[in-house]
Amino acid sequence: MRFDTPKSLSSVLEEFIEKFPQKRKLKQGMILSAFAEVVGERMASEVEDLHFEGTKLAIKVKHPSWRAEIHANRFSIAKRLNSKVKGDVVSDIIVRS
């Protein structure tokens, strides 16, 4: 009979994600769901479409002023999104209006 020490649920989930065959797609989905939390509700409400094109996150916004705002902050947004999922998933952000 084998008695292992109990592991925390978060460490078990991290191990599962690392072994998951579609890890990149899973982390991309995690980024899409966490987008509003990372950038804020106000900025997220101006986004019409959000999807991945390879490793680039494509964002379509309603107004050109929001396009300029997101474009100016795209590197910090990508860094925060990547740190949220603990991986290098977003290489760049493409902003369209």
Side-chain angles (χ1 to χ4, degrees):
M1 192 175 212
R2 193 173 140 185
F3 293 101
D4 289 336
T5 57
K7 294 182 180 180
S8 68
L9 186 58
S10 63
S11 66
V12 172
L13 285 174
E14 284 180 16
E15 287 176 23
F16 171 75
I17 289 172
E18 289 304 315
K19 294 177 184 176
F20 192 68
Q22 299 292 327
K23 179 173 66 171
R24 191 174 121 237
K25 288 284 186 189
L26 178 66
K27 288 193 175 190
Q28 285 178 346
M30 292 166 62
I31 283 180
L32 295 178
S33 67
F35 183 78
E37 179 185 337
V38 171
V39 300
E41 292 296 326
R42 178 67 178 116
M43 187 179 287
S45 69
E46 296 297 324
V47 174
E48 290 181 334
D49 184 35
L50 183 67
H51 66 275
F52 275 92
E53 294 177 1
T55 60
K56 297 179 181 181
L57 181 63
I59 302 172
K60 183 175 181 188
V61 293
K62 299 174 184 175
H63 302 288
S65 59
W66 280 104
R67 180 190 176 281
E69 179 70 25
I70 294 172
H71 183 76
N73 295 306
R74 70 186 188 277
F75 296 116
S76 67
I77 292 170
K79 185 177 179 180
R80 287 185 286 160
L81 288 168
N82 284 330
S83 68
K84 180 76 176 174
V85 297
K86 298 176 183 167
D88 191 23
V89 181
V90 180
S91 64
D92 196 9
I93 295 178
I94 302 167
V95 189
R96 300 179 178 124
S97 58

